[in-house]
Amino acid sequence: MKSVLSAIPLCLIFSAICQAQSPVDRSVPLAEVTTDFELCDGPAWDGQSTLFVPDVKGEILKRWSPKQSRLSDSGLATGRFSASYFNNGELFLSDNGNAKIIAFNGKEERTVAVLDSSDKPVRRPNDLVVDHFGGCYVTLTRQGQVVYIAPDGTEHVAVENIETPNGLILSPDEKTLYVSAYKPKVIWAYPITKPGATGQGKEFARMDAGPELGADGLTVDRAGNIYCAGPTSVWIWSPSGEKLDEIVTPTRPINCGFGDTDMRSLYITCFGGLYQQRMTVSGRSPNPPSDPKKQPPSKNRPSTAIPNNVESNLDVVYSEDGTRKLLMDVFRPKTADGPLPAIVVVHGGGWLKGDKSKFRALAVRLATLGYVTAAIEYRLGDEAHFPAAIYDCFAAVRFLRANAKQFGIDPERIGAVGGSAGGHLVGLMATGSQNPQLTEKGGWEDQSSSIQAAIVMAGPMEMTTGSVADRSRNQPAVSNSNAWLGKTIDEDLNLYKLADAHLQITSQSAPILFMVGEHDHPERNAPSRDKLTEHGVWTDVKVYSDGKHGCWNQLPWFDEMAKDMDEFFQAQLSKD
């Protein structure tokens, strides 16, 4: 077994198409991961450390560990699995051999649906995708159908009269279902009118008219770009159907899916084995489990379960930039009366990785305490350089104000909380809302961008001085700010000034509570606290015993920090 990533010559794998919009990282060649399969098919990343890969002919489910560079038997099941998909804390498998869909919660197996119980089944599932409600769309290639299996197990036809349906995937906002028609090599787009129900489909894209078959597995990235395995390559289109690029593979590709901890590796299953291509736009992370029974075993991670007294609206579009849709997850206590204060929750990840699901536990906890919370995604540095991310953050604030009645929000009481890079963005939200260079894009321009309270958890306020500036100059190759802003501080000092939350502190800045672990440089942002005080703006710092960077997402600190957040927001966002 080849278990190390061996580079393949560029001339073999890359097509001549290389447009500026391509999400392919052309600085890194396609790499062979392993050829130890009889025939590998649709892969699925578990959101943590494992890529599951079915071996259809070998009739075994394997797992790939990028950290250990190791392929092994998953130990979960054997069978002719034609696809896998991980979402809501479960691994779903298309059991083509036994004509059923099964799912695993850890090692616990359940049958989702039996599609054909006859001795010689003909309704065999091909590919599948699972929505954030827990419903499952499945292609039945022989029948020319896509069926939907609801969370309660009931089944109905979602799409019919489509020639040889094969791969399928949902758009990031789950408003469109894409289905590949294998023989004609056409990708169809169907609007989703409600879970499991679609409207009139339209041709989204078509591969070349050559004799080779066909259009196979599909996936999507967080920007909504669509990927489809074709006869010789993986084709990539923008959400509008514009062809962006192709990734030519040494052997015929079958399926593809994103993985790795930064979700920037596109794993491609081919007749010759498993391959990896690094991308500049990350894939969609699995939706965290909302069911308390499906929480992964962990002693130090807070639960992402959504209690019965909290309502959720996932993947709400809050801003658009061309074809790029920005999404948020909104949570609200069901029994609360009257308009509530709202909290924008901004994830970390060095401005280059992470997504809104990483702060799911915090967003849900604050909702149980009486707030409407909005955990947002924003454009990361490899997709779009600063100021795109802060445009997105301010657009989220304006969206909530514009839609205050819909979500039961008091538009005069909006706060924000963020950790690490998200903390920096929240600091900039607190001090830069009056700067048109930070707020001029993102929509809802008739609404105010200002917030009334901010919590910065171990995020840098200073960009032109301190550790961020030092690393930009002295360690440029590993500087996250250089990658995020696209330049070093000496190449564009004014750009760094624009991103500097400390420089923009005025008497109009929002109150800021700083939270930090004991071992995470509590002295960080002391100059900003002094400057806020000088301008008459409330500020304070809370240091958490024995806490390290990221302690806000770990137990036992999570509970104490959520309590302190509530006390701060109650004081700063009170009606009085």
Side-chain angles (χ1 to χ4, degrees):
M1 179 183 75
K2 297 181 181 179
S3 60
V4 295
L5 299 177
S6 52
I8 297 170
L10 288 169
C11 60
L12 175 64
I13 60 174
F14 291 137
S15 72
I17 303 171
C18 187
Q19 302 179 19
Q21 309 98 308
S22 172
V24 183
D25 185 348
R26 293 300 187 188
S27 69
V28 182
L30 183 73
E32 180 185 284
V33 178
T34 174
T35 60
D36 195 11
F37 295 93
E38 291 187 44
L39 182 66
C40 52
D41 211 324
W45 180 252
D46 73 347
Q48 298 182 48
S49 61
T50 297
L51 184 78
F52 291 101
V53 187
D55 189 335
V56 184
K57 288 188 176 180
E59 298 193 0
I60 189 173
L61 178 67
K62 296 187 176 182
R63 68 168 75 224
W64 168 253
S65 169
K67 185 176 182 179
Q68 299 176 349
S69 190
R70 178 171 173 263
L71 184 72
S72 61
D73 180 354
S74 69
L76 293 178
T78 58
R80 197 168 73 233
F81 304 122
S82 55
S84 62
Y85 198 86
F86 196 97
N87 212 22
N88 308 316
E90 289 188 295
L91 174 67
F92 292 78
L93 297 174
S94 175
D95 188 346
N96 180 272
N98 294 305
K100 63 182 181 178
I101 305 298
I102 61 175
F104 284 89
N105 176 17
K107 294 184 178 181
E108 181 181 344
E109 179 181 346
R110 71 180 177 95
T111 298
V112 177
V114 176
L115 298 172
D116 191 336
S117 59
S118 64
D119 292 337
K120 295 182 179 180
V122 293
R123 295 182 78 240
R124 296 183 185 273
N126 189 339
D127 208 345
L128 79 168
V129 65
V130 181
D131 63 24
H132 56 227
F133 299 104
C136 186
Y137 295 87
V138 181
T139 49
L140 300 179
T141 304
R142 290 185 184 180
Q143 286 70 36
Q145 294 178 333
V146 176
V147 296
Y148 183 74
I149 303 164
D152 63 5
T154 57
E155 175 197 328
H156 64 267
V157 176
V159 176
E160 55 187 344
N161 299 321
I162 177 172
E163 183 181 359
T164 56
N166 194 343
L168 73 174
I169 197 68
L170 292 165
S171 61
D173 64 355
E174 300 200 354
K175 298 300 184 184
T176 304
L177 176 68
Y178 298 96
V179 184
S180 63
Y182 182 75
K183 288 184 178 180
K185 294 187 289 187
V186 173
I187 288 78
W188 291 89
Y190 297 88
I192 295 175
T193 56
K194 63 180 181 179
T198 63
Q200 181 65 42
K202 66 177 182 179
E203 183 177 310
F204 170 76
R206 181 180 291 266
M207 292 180 170
D208 62 62
E212 303 89 353
L213 298 176
D216 213 322
L218 291 165
T219 195
V220 67
D221 63 29
R222 62 184 282 151
N225 298 315
I226 306 300
Y227 301 68
C228 184
T232 60
S233 60
V234 174
W235 290 49
I236 309 171
W237 297 273
S238 74
S240 65
E242 176 189 1
K243 185 179 178 183
L244 301 180
D245 211 337
E246 288 183 53
I247 304 171
V248 179
T249 51
T251 57
R252 177 180 153 191
I254 301 171
N255 213 322
C256 54
F258 283 86
D260 290 355
T261 54
D262 62 1
M263 293 300 290
R264 278 186 52 213
S265 288
L266 182 70
Y267 284 96
I268 306 170
T269 55
C270 300
F271 272 74
L274 179 66
Y275 296 83
Q276 177 203 49
Q277 174 63 59
R278 294 292 288 170
M279 310 297 291
T280 60
V281 179
S282 57
R284 292 266 293 161
S285 294
N287 185 50
S290 58
D291 187 337
K293 297 178 181 179
K294 297 177 182 177
Q295 300 298 308
S298 177
K299 295 181 179 179
N300 66 348
R301 289 288 181 182
S303 171
T304 59
I306 302 175
N308 292 331
N309 62 349
V310 171
E311 62 178 297
S312 62
N313 289 279
L314 305 182
D315 298 316
V316 175
V317 178
Y318 72 84
S319 180
E320 298 185 37
D321 184 2
T323 61
R324 177 62 159 105
K325 296 180 179 180
L326 282 303
L327 307 178
M328 64 168 57
D329 296 336
V330 182
F331 304 92
R332 190 185 196 280
K334 289 181 179 179
T335 58
D337 295 326
L340 300 176
I343 309 297
V344 179
V345 182
V346 187
H347 71 82
W351 304 296
L352 303 178
K353 62 181 182 179
D355 62 54
K356 58 187 172 62
S357 69
K358 303 307 178 186
F359 274 26
R360 170 66 60 81
L362 179 58
V364 171
R365 175 63 65 86
L366 290 175
T368 66
L369 295 173
Y371 304 91
V372 177
T373 59
I376 68 168
E377 70 170 9
Y378 54 87
R379 284 169 289 179
L380 302 175
D382 287 324
E383 180 184 349
H385 290 146
F386 174 86
I390 194 64
Y391 286 158
D392 299 341
C393 292
F394 279 126
V397 174
R398 297 194 299 272
F399 170 84
L400 293 175
R401 280 206 168 89
N403 295 275
K405 186 175 181 180
Q406 175 186 347
F407 295 110
I409 292 170
D410 182 344
E412 302 303 317
R413 295 188 292 159
I414 298 179
V417 57
S420 195
H424 162 262
L425 289 168
V426 167
L428 197 54
M429 292 169 73
T431 66
S433 65
Q434 306 305 312
N435 186 339
Q437 290 180 279
L438 301 176
T439 62
E440 61 185 353
K441 295 183 179 180
W444 317 104
E445 287 84 359
D446 59 331
Q447 302 293 325
S448 169
S449 299
S450 65
I451 58 175
Q452 284 65 59
I455 295 177
V456 174
M457 300 185 292
M461 294 286 284
E462 300 171 77
M463 299 288 284
T464 57
T465 53
S467 61
V468 173
D470 291 343
R471 181 166 292 185
S472 175
R473 288 192 176 98
N474 302 324
Q475 297 177 283
V478 296
S479 166
N480 281 13
S481 68
N482 289 354
W484 184 49
L485 278 76
K487 295 181 179 180
T488 69
I489 187 171
D490 294 324
E491 289 171 336
D492 197 336
L493 178 60
N494 287 333
L495 186 64
Y496 275 72
K497 286 181 178 179
L498 184 62
D500 193 308
H502 173 81
L503 290 179
Q504 303 190 57
I505 292 173
T506 69
S507 60
Q508 302 301 310
S509 298
I512 302 178
L513 173 64
F514 294 91
M515 290 182 162
V516 63
E518 177 186 3
H519 304 298
D520 192 17
H521 305 288
E523 72 282 0
R524 181 194 288 111
N525 295 324
S528 293
R529 294 194 290 275
D530 292 341
K531 188 174 180 181
L532 286 164
T533 301
E534 290 171 4
H535 282 83
V537 178
W538 187 99
T539 188
D540 199 0
V541 60
K542 286 188 176 291
V543 180
Y544 295 88
S545 177
D546 207 33
K548 299 179 181 179
H549 196 72
C551 61
W552 50 83
N553 251 344
Q554 297 179 349
L555 299 173
W557 301 278
F558 174 84
D559 291 326
E560 182 181 0
M561 295 178 80
K563 179 177 176 293
D564 289 341
M565 291 177 198
D566 182 33
E567 291 181 357
F568 167 73
F569 284 131
Q570 281 197 41
Q572 300 297 332
L573 300 179
S574 65
K575 291 183 179 181
D576 300 332

